[in-house]
């Protein structure tokens, strides 16, 4: 690799000025674990604490280190490259690099697996984008901030922001000379209710990164879960070598879809309009757009039975229609996600592995209780929560019902997050950890090996569609 990638107008280009369209996936659930990806309840910090209590801190640390080791290895990188994909987004949690009780002290061991995977990808000619998915205090209202609350405290405490800016300086110093890194994604899906603090933060983190690294692209998410750039104004004139990231999930690709997706003219029109609204500010100013997350979730036979194949064919229609829109714009994108236990990943852990066998009944219970917010199917529990929704709707004036981050969170979403995804999950954390009681290091190693590429199945329908759309001919 002889040169860094750069932003030139609406494009990402190499050192010769040749367009590079970045297409790939996010390695979600790895250095920022997520409940629906690997099957635990609640937040990562909760299960790490619970597992240490059950098996002891040494065995717990051993298990999680092995999980990180096996989750992405050379075989994964080779498979990814074989599909024609050229970029992996690497979400990570600030806790790998800093402790809350020892702030502003860099944990060098945090680089161990991140460096390893960046190098594996480089060996296959795959670019990487570093994504701070969980910042201190929580930059948005959801579980993937690993904050355990629905309040985005990142925006309420200067300390959290200062620590994040410090961390990005350390990261940029460490990776400044690595040309296989396409760039830095400083904050995943910010949800700043003022819409102005996020601009100030981006300005500070831009200047901090540029003080030690003038070369790498900065990929900045829009506010409110990477959907809103309406308050960004003219800041793009100051921010050099910057692309702007939308997250373009379509509601048609989820269990809560308002109707079956049949690829009608009206459905495709709505899908395109939603996408165009998200990138409107960039198009007005001739700026570079990157779609940092998108993609449907998929039905599973153990939960959806005979309807599984029909549901998934509809989801593939959503996928194809989104890609048709993106191809018109030669859009760079990173689908969510590469690997999981069977809900959304390009590859997913087999039901025959020691991990899924160990947790089979627990995973079924978690699905029935709809405690994971992502793609939740509330059919078996809606009768429990609907009276609370009705109660709030009746007692609270309409004008006070749409609390931020509305419309991304509607009233029913807020009730679900607080009651199912925060409250009920607290009572499931210990139950998850108890499955590991009495396990030896050898047994824990075998459980972690469940996430190795050789123990995963491939979602062939998804991968074929991605392969068919991976390559966009470069233009000068």
């Amino acid at each position: 690799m002889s040169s860094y990638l750069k932003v030139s107008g609406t494009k990402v280009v190499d050192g010769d000025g040749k367009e590079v369209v970045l297409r790939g996936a996010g390695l979600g659930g790895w250095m920022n674990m997520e409940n629906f990806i690997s099957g635990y309840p609640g937040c990562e910090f909760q299960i790490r604490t619970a597992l240490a209590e059950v098996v002891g801190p040494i065995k717990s640390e051993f298990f999680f280190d092995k999980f990180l080791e096996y989750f992405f290895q050379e075989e994964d990188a080779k498979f990814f490259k074989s599909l024609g994909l050229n970029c992996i987004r690497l979400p990570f949690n600030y806790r790998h690099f800093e402790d809350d009780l020892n702030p502003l002290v860099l944990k060098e061991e945090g680089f161990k697996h991140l460096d390893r995977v960046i190098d594996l990808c480089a060996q296959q000619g795959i670019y990487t984008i570093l994504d701070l998915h969980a910042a201190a205090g929580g930059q948005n209202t959801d579980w993937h901030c690993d904050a355990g609350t629905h309040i985005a405290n990142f925006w309420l405490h200067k300390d959290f922001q200062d620590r994040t800016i410090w961390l990005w300086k350390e990261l940029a110093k460490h990776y400044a000379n690595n040309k296989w890194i396409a760039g830095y994604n400083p904050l995943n899906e910010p949800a700043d209710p003022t819409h102005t603090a996020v601009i100030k933060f981006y300005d500070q983190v831009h200047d901090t990164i540029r003080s030690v690294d003038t070369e790498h692209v900065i990929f900045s998410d829009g506010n409110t879960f990477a959907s809103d750039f309406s308050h960004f104004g003219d800041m793009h004139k100051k921010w050099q070598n910057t692309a702007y990231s939308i997250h373009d999930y379509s509601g048609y690709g989820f269990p809560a879809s308002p109707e079956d997706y049949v690829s009608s003219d009206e459905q495709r029109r709505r899908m395109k309009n939603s996408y165009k609204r998200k990138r409107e500010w960039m198009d007005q100013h001739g700026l570079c757009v990157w779609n940092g997350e998108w993609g449907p979730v998929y039905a599973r036979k153990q939960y959806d039975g005979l309807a599984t194949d029909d549901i998934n064919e509809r989801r593939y229609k959503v996928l194809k229609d989104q890609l048709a829109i993106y191809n018109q714009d030669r859009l760079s994108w990173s689908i969510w996600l590469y690997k999981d236990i069977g809900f959304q990943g390009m590859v997913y852990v087999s039901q025959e592995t020691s991990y899924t066998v160990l947790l089979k009944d627990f995973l079924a219970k978690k699905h029935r209780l709809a405690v994971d917010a992502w793609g939740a199917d509330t059919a078996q529990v809606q009768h429990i929560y609907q009276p609370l929704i009705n109660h709030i709707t009746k007692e609270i004036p309409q004008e006070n019902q749409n609390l931020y981050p509305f419309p991304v969170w509607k009233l029913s979403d807020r009730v679900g997050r607080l009651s199912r995804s925060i409250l009920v999950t607290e009572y499931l954390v210990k139950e998850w950890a108890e499955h590991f009681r009495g396990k030896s290091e050898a047994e824990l190693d075998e459980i972690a090996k469940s996430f190795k590429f050789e123990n995963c199945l491939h979602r062939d329908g998804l991968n074929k569609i991605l392969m068919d759309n991976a390559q966009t001919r470069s233009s000068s």
Side-chain angles (χ1 to χ4, degrees), residues 30 45 238 392:
W30 175 58
F45 81 90
K238 179 182 178 185
I392 296 172

Side-chain angles (χ1 to χ4, degrees), residues 77-363:
K78 287 181 176 179
F79 172 73
F80 195 87
K81 183 66 173 180
S82 75
L83 298 178
L85 301 170
N86 66 355
C87 187
I88 293 183
R89 181 178 181 233
L90 300 178
F92 63 93
N93 190 318
Y94 80 98
R95 298 180 196 273
H96 287 286
F97 296 96
E98 181 196 24
D99 284 330
D100 288 325
L101 294 180
N102 194 22
L104 302 177
V105 176
L106 186 67
K107 296 165 62 176
E108 293 285 349
E109 62 268 27
F111 290 109
K112 172 184 173 181
H113 290 292
L114 195 56
D115 285 354
R116 176 181 62 83
V117 167
I118 290 170
D119 289 345
L120 284 175
C121 291
Q123 291 166 19
Q124 298 299 322
I126 300 169
Y127 292 102
T128 48
I129 295 174
L130 307 188
D131 151 40
L132 181 55
H133 219 74
Q139 74 275 14
N140 67 45
T141 53
D142 259 331
W143 72 94
H144 42 79
C145 285
D146 197 32
T149 176
H150 71 296
I151 303 297
N153 283 301
F154 180 89
W155 305 110
L156 302 178
H157 299 275
K158 185 176 182 293
D159 175 69
F160 293 140
Q161 298 173 37
D162 289 346
R163 286 165 57 189
T164 301
I165 290 168
W166 163 84
L167 177 56
W168 269 113
K169 186 171 186 177
E170 297 298 321
L171 293 166
K173 285 192 295 185
H174 185 82
Y175 291 114
N177 296 320
N178 192 323
K179 296 175 182 177
W180 277 108
I181 293 176
Y184 310 132
N185 190 189
L187 207 58
N188 175 67
E189 295 187 343
D192 164 28
T194 71
H195 302 280
T196 56
V198 65
I199 311 300
K200 181 180 178 182
F201 171 79
Y202 276 158
D203 196 39
Q204 290 176 308
V205 80
H206 169 274
D207 290 351
T208 298
I209 290 173
R210 291 292 176 241
S211 72
V212 294
D213 182 347
T214 60
E215 302 294 341
H216 282 107
V217 177
I218 295 176
F219 295 86
S220 296
D221 282 20
N223 195 32
T224 315
F225 298 93
S227 68
D228 182 7
F229 293 86
S230 61
H231 289 72
F232 278 51
D234 290 330
M235 291 303 296
H236 63 92
K237 295 178 180 179
K238 179 182 178 185
W239 298 337
Q240 301 301 310
N241 199 25
T242 299
Y244 299 89
S245 173
I246 63 172
H247 289 181
D248 190 40
Y249 291 106
S250 170
Y252 292 122
F254 289 80
S257 174
E259 59 188 3
D260 286 346
Y261 189 76
V262 296
S263 191
S264 68
D265 290 345
E266 177 61 18
Q267 288 174 330
R268 284 185 280 109
R269 183 191 67 80
R270 290 177 182 172
M271 183 184 291
K272 186 171 185 177
N273 285 347
S274 176
Y275 160 71
K276 289 294 186 181
R277 280 195 302 271
K278 291 170 188 170
R279 59 174 293 158
E280 181 179 8
W281 177 77
M282 289 80 86
D283 290 338
Q284 289 173 349
H285 297 284
L287 303 174
C288 183
V289 182
W290 174 57
N291 184 7
E293 288 186 25
W294 65 286
V297 299
Y298 299 95
R300 294 158 288 184
K301 288 190 182 296
Q302 66 267 37
Y303 304 134
D304 299 286
L306 296 176
T308 298
D309 291 342
D310 288 341
I311 293 171
N312 288 342
E313 283 305 313
R314 292 196 294 271
R315 304 283 165 79
Y316 290 144
K317 285 182 182 178
V318 173
L319 187 78
K320 290 178 180 178
D321 285 350
Q322 286 189 281
L323 282 165
I325 296 169
Y326 302 158
N327 287 339
Q328 291 176 357
D329 290 337
R330 301 177 58 80
L331 182 70
S332 290
W333 47 253
S334 180
I335 197 168
W336 194 259
L337 70 150
Y338 172 66
K339 181 183 286 186
D340 69 353
I341 58 170
F343 195 36
Q344 196 170 17
M346 297 162 56
V347 301
Y348 54 96
V349 176
S350 166
Q351 293 296 303
E352 306 304 316
T353 63
S354 56
Y355 181 84
T356 49
V357 170
L358 178 68
L359 291 165
K360 179 182 177 181
D361 292 342
F362 181 79
L363 293 173

